[in-house]
Amino acid sequence: MAGPCEFARGGLFVGPAVGAPRFVKTKNSEYDAHVKTIIEPFRIKSIEPIRMTTRDERERILREAGFNVFLIRAEDVLIDLLTDSGTGAMSAEQWAGIMRGDESYAGATSFYRFQDRITELTGFEHVLPTHQGRASERILFELVGGPDKIVPNNAHFDTTRANVEHSGAKAVDLPIPEAAEPKNRHPFKGNMNVAALEKLIADVGRDRIPLVMVTVTNNSGGGQPVSMANLRAVRAVCDKHKLPLFLDACRFSENAFLIKQREPDMKDRTVREIVREMFDLADGATISAKKDGMVNIGGLLLLRDEQMLYRASNLLILTEGFITYGGLAGRDLEAMAQGFEEVVHDDYLAYRIRSVEYLGEKLIAAGIPIVEPPGGHAIYIDAGALCPHIPPAQFPGQAVVCGLYRIGGVRSVEIGSVMFGNAPTATGKPRLELVRLAMPRRVYTQSHIDYVIEAAAELAASKANLRGLRMTHQPPVLRHFTARFEEI
Ligand SMILES: *Cc1c(COP(=O)(O)O)cnc(C)c1O
């Protein structure tokens, strides 16, 4: 990527010059200026128009949606940062795979291509495809969950928790204390609290714990990475008590890149080597391919144990499909095989992680408090700190979500009291009122992100005008999806 490039001087995502040489000697010329700009490492082949809306239109749309952006039509959104799940853009090679897909019911070529790629990347020989991450979770916890069981995790993602609890088991989050402090720049705030894990095992007994799970990166905790040192320490505890370790590995590649950047003794390892060591430490993994799999639909369940594979395969056939397609089309397996290859490319990851960090830096510069340091796939605005005039009972996060839509047509999501209600937090501290700006993979360019930054800065400058909300309709489960509000 470095090299003489006149176009790039405009300053897209200019990276921090951490020890980078200003000039690089090359074979052909005396010296080439070393270009620091980290560009989108792709050009655009197919485009999807964005429909512009006026502020008046958005005001009306927001009211009609009961101030809940889940109820707004996607065509009424300018920049959609609701989620990075299944919203990425596929490459030309992935689309070529879509045409190549072998749709045979059993033994499709596409399955074997997919399986080979996953085995090569992760070392796992047993690869079950599923339609998405939660299907893998449902199968896993039907096998190992059940009443009286307890599943520890650094922080359960909501579908993981729901599947653990659906089996009758209890889901326990064991984050490190730093995870509750937005301004604490601990490099690995996704880490599991190893002492708390030891204590849990001592308190409840190992027999009640079917497995230990670590989520990389930690989605619920700000997209924060887990260090290799922490994974090794958790593995050591599991070995001591003869417990299996499973990864919720949706963002394994972003986690590996952040390990390379932030963990001093890992900087000379390749991302592929780091990914391999992460998986080598585990006995199994659930993955939603809608994240680092770079596809719009798909998931995986990885296992080592033959007995477990046998039982999981039977459940897969019961509800997903035969073991060589798992509820997907052959073409989806082709797209996944290629996606899992592209996601470990250094140029892609440098651009990916830098673009998230860029958004974070500019928001901080505009006086907007965020969860620091920026993590893998999203920036989390600390709406509670931004809007001290709106009490938690009036949903400051939801007020910021509505403000961003009103000002710029930007869709974000509240992760706070709307989503979690009054449920106690893992750390026992007051709940953070966050707004997540998730970055779809390879979808938006820097000018889109600059637009988001401008909208957020305008929101911060006029935050006194933001009003709290009252919930007028509250569904019994997962209320954030369909709740309705009015402004106070
Ligand atoms: C998205 C996600 C899941 C669930 O995957 P789906 O494909 O949405 O079913 C599980 N864990 C984490 C950490 C996730 O981000």
Side-chain angles (χ1 to χ4, degrees):
M1 272 207 309
C5 170
E6 289 299 327
F7 301 121
R9 296 242 169 84
L12 306 189
F13 297 139
V14 174
V18 274
R22 186 69 188 87
F23 291 97
V24 183
K25 198 163 178 0
T26 68
K27 246 180 158 179
N28 300 328
S29 64
E30 261 283 62
Y31 285 102
D32 281 336
H34 179 73
V35 178
K36 281 185 301 177
T37 301
I38 296 168
I39 59 170
E40 291 89 355
F42 49 80
R43 49 187 186 169
I44 296 164
K45 195 192 250 331
S46 177
I47 63 105
E48 210 178 343
I50 293 172
R51 193 177 73 85
M52 298 295 170
T53 47
T54 63
R55 203 161 162 151
D56 285 347
E57 272 179 89
R58 294 195 291 270
E59 186 65 48
R60 175 182 56 76
I61 291 164
L62 195 59
R63 284 178 189 284
E64 282 173 8
F67 298 94
N68 183 346
V69 292
F70 280 100
L71 303 178
I72 292 178
R73 287 175 184 237
E75 65 184 19
D76 294 332
V77 176
L78 269 82
I79 309 280
D80 204 346
L81 306 183
L82 186 70
T83 174
D84 66 320
S85 179
T87 52
M90 293 210 295
S91 67
E93 263 319 298
Q94 286 180 291
W95 282 109
I98 293 279
M99 280 309 297
R100 221 173 21 236
D102 175 356
E103 304 302 341
S104 304
Y105 192 97
T109 319
S110 301
F111 171 74
Y112 290 106
R113 201 185 335 269
F114 160 74
Q115 189 186 38
D116 287 350
R117 281 280 172 84
I118 300 299
T119 303
E120 189 193 330
L121 185 69
T122 65
F124 276 89
E125 307 251 327
H126 303 319
V127 181
L128 294 178
T130 59
H131 82 276
Q132 60 184 86
R134 69 195 69 181
S136 309
E137 293 166 353
R138 209 264 308 147
I139 291 171
L140 178 65
F141 291 109
E142 186 166 338
L143 292 179
V144 305
D148 241 33
K149 295 276 180 2
I150 294 174
V151 178
N153 198 322
N154 48 345
H156 285 85
F157 180 66
D158 56 9
T159 62
T160 323
R161 170 177 293 278
N163 274 292
V164 168
E165 290 172 353
H166 183 70
S167 79
K170 190 171 163 209
V172 177
D173 289 346
L174 303 175
I176 57 170
E178 289 86 343
E181 303 160 9
K183 291 231 170 293
N184 189 323
R185 290 188 71 97
H186 187 294
F188 292 103
K189 282 164 107 173
N191 282 354
M192 177 175 258
N193 185 335
V194 179
L197 176 64
E198 282 275 23
K199 182 170 184 309
L200 179 78
I201 298 170
D203 287 352
V204 306
R206 70 163 294 285
D207 293 341
R208 288 181 65 194
I209 301 178
L211 54 80
V212 175
M213 203 158 198
V214 176
T215 306
V216 293
T217 56
N218 178 347
N219 187 2
S220 320
Q224 300 290 327
V226 178
S227 70
M228 191 65 87
N230 187 252
L231 282 173
R232 289 181 190 138
V234 172
R235 176 76 253 180
V237 172
C238 289
D239 284 343
K240 188 165 122 197
H241 299 280
K242 300 207 164 34
L243 288 172
L245 171 61
F246 271 63
L247 296 181
D248 177 343
C250 295
R251 298 181 182 81
F252 68 95
S253 180
E254 291 168 3
N255 198 85
F257 191 78
L258 289 165
I259 284 179
K260 185 176 166 69
Q261 276 193 332
R262 296 182 187 177
E263 203 163 349
D265 59 335
M266 302 299 287
K267 70 175 191 306
D268 297 325
R269 307 272 299 278
T270 66
V271 169
R272 266 186 186 279
E273 285 167 351
I274 296 170
V275 166
R276 185 56 194 267
E277 181 173 348
M278 284 163 52
F279 281 106
D280 280 349
L281 289 168
D283 299 290
T286 55
I287 303 182
S288 165
K290 299 171 73 170
K291 289 53 174 271
D292 277 353
M294 308 265 251
V295 291
N296 306 117
I297 196 74
L300 295 85
L301 177 57
L302 306 181
L303 296 167
R304 288 199 206 284
D305 184 80
E306 301 272 341
Q307 263 310 102
M308 208 162 167
L309 173 73
Y310 177 73
R311 294 168 60 215
S313 301
N314 286 327
L315 285 179
L316 186 79
I317 292 170
L318 190 67
T319 57
E320 290 281 297
F322 188 59
I323 51 172
T324 61
Y325 72 86
L328 294 167
R331 53 179 171 269
D332 297 326
L333 298 173
E334 289 280 350
M336 271 205 274
Q338 182 62 22
F340 278 101
E341 163 68 32
E342 291 173 9
V343 79
V344 289
H345 289 180
D346 287 335
D347 289 353
Y348 162 73
L349 283 166
Y351 139 77
R352 169 76 179 157
I353 297 299
R354 177 60 197 152
S355 56
V356 172
E357 188 183 41
Y358 174 87
L359 172 60
E361 281 171 6
K362 297 280 175 164
L363 293 184
I364 294 172
I368 299 170
I370 64 166
V371 174
E372 297 185 47
H377 66 289
I379 291 297
Y380 295 66
I381 294 175
D382 184 349
L386 179 67
C387 305
H389 62 291
I390 305 178
Q394 295 179 13
F395 309 122
Q398 194 67 16
V400 169
V401 167
C402 291
L404 282 173
Y405 180 74
R406 228 183 219 127
I407 293 170
V410 176
R411 179 153 68 172
S412 54
V413 64
E414 194 261 11
I415 300 196
S417 292
V418 174
M419 191 175 270
F420 297 110
N422 301 323
T425 58
T427 49
K429 299 194 184 148
R431 176 170 307 291
L432 294 175
E433 300 292 338
L434 302 177
V435 170
R436 186 181 74 178
L437 305 174
M439 293 273 245
R441 292 171 182 75
R442 306 189 292 201
V443 169
Y444 293 117
T445 63
Q446 192 192 359
S447 43
H448 291 119
I449 299 309
D450 285 337
Y451 173 93
V452 172
I453 292 160
E454 202 183 320
E458 191 183 323
L459 175 125
S462 59
K463 67 181 184 182
N465 300 337
L466 282 182
R467 290 156 66 187
L469 295 142
R470 178 183 311 119
M471 208 180 269
T472 54
H473 167 70
Q474 156 157 244
V477 286
L478 294 172
R479 64 179 186 168
H480 53 288
F481 289 124
T482 51
R484 297 183 76 88
F485 304 84
E486 62 188 20
E487 280 186 318
I488 294 171

